[in-house]
Amino acid sequence: MMEMGERFIFLEKSPGPKDAMQDLMNKVESCKKCPLFKSRKNCVFGEGNPRAEIMFVGEAPGREEDAKGRPFVGAAGQLLTRMIEAIGLSRSDVYIANVLKCRPPGNRDPLPEEVDACKEFLFKQIELIKPKVICGLGSHATRTLLETSESISKMRGKVHTCRSRMFVPTYHPAALLRNAGWKRAAWEDLKLVRRLSKDLSDAR
Ligand code: URA
Ligand code: SF4
């Protein structure tokens, strides 16, 4: 009886995946590990299905994301939403996060020291969500998660491994808005991501 009681207390105290995600979100929201905390209106932790099979990782919040506290809600976000819908899913089926959780002023590129300060949060998100496939949007996500300095055009279209998950790099939707010629390749990448997530489900 005594043992049961102790076990029960132990179980109650150990955080489940949901609590762990909430804990992580609380940590991000109070984070001051790099100077970007000073200029943020909101942290952009990430959102979606905490058990998603597919996780998208972008670069950093822009103006609209900073204002709303949500990832990919501006022009690039609308394109990403359409890309997700084109593979037969909705935003709530997948998980969407960024390398940086706070907006770099004027949307400048993330600095290496900001990425170093922030990337542990992303790694922890991956560990908790355990997606089958991660789609890296653009060079910052791909360089951070694959520890490479290769260009996105060299890396895309292939399946890589990142933290024991399959990783497919593709162009960032903001780059696709500037260069429509890359859309065909991005579409191929998205179809690959979808196929990989299905192949694994079928094999189970
Ligand atoms: N670009 C990104 O990389 N992330 C966002 O959340 C929005 C735009
Ligand atoms: Fe912390 Fe990341 Fe925000 Fe920097 S960008 S303050 S490391 S949450």
Side-chain angles (χ1 to χ4, degrees), residues 114-132:
E114 292 162 354
V115 173
D116 281 344
C118 209
K119 65 185 179 187
E120 289 303 324
F121 294 132
L122 175 63
F123 296 164
K124 188 72 190 171
Q125 283 173 305
I126 294 171
E127 195 185 297
L128 291 173
I129 296 162
K130 301 184 172 54
K132 287 176 187 158

Side-chain angles (χ1 to χ4, degrees), residues 28 31-34 36-37 40 100-102 117-118 121:
V28 167
C31 178
K32 297 181 175 176
K33 285 203 285 178
C34 87
L36 294 179
F37 83 89
R40 72 182 171 217
L100 292 188
K101 311 306 190 204
C102 305
C118 209
F121 294 132

Side-chain angles (χ1 to χ4, degrees), residues 23 26 30 34 45 53 63 65 67 71-72 76-77 82 104 128 135 142 164 178 190-191 193:
D23 280 355
N26 296 343
S30 57
C34 87
F45 179 71
E53 297 188 345
R63 183 192 298 278
E65 289 77 19
F72 282 98
R82 290 205 298 277
L128 291 173
C135 181
T142 302
S164 318
R178 290 191 301 266
L190 264 284
K191 282 193 293 185
V193 166

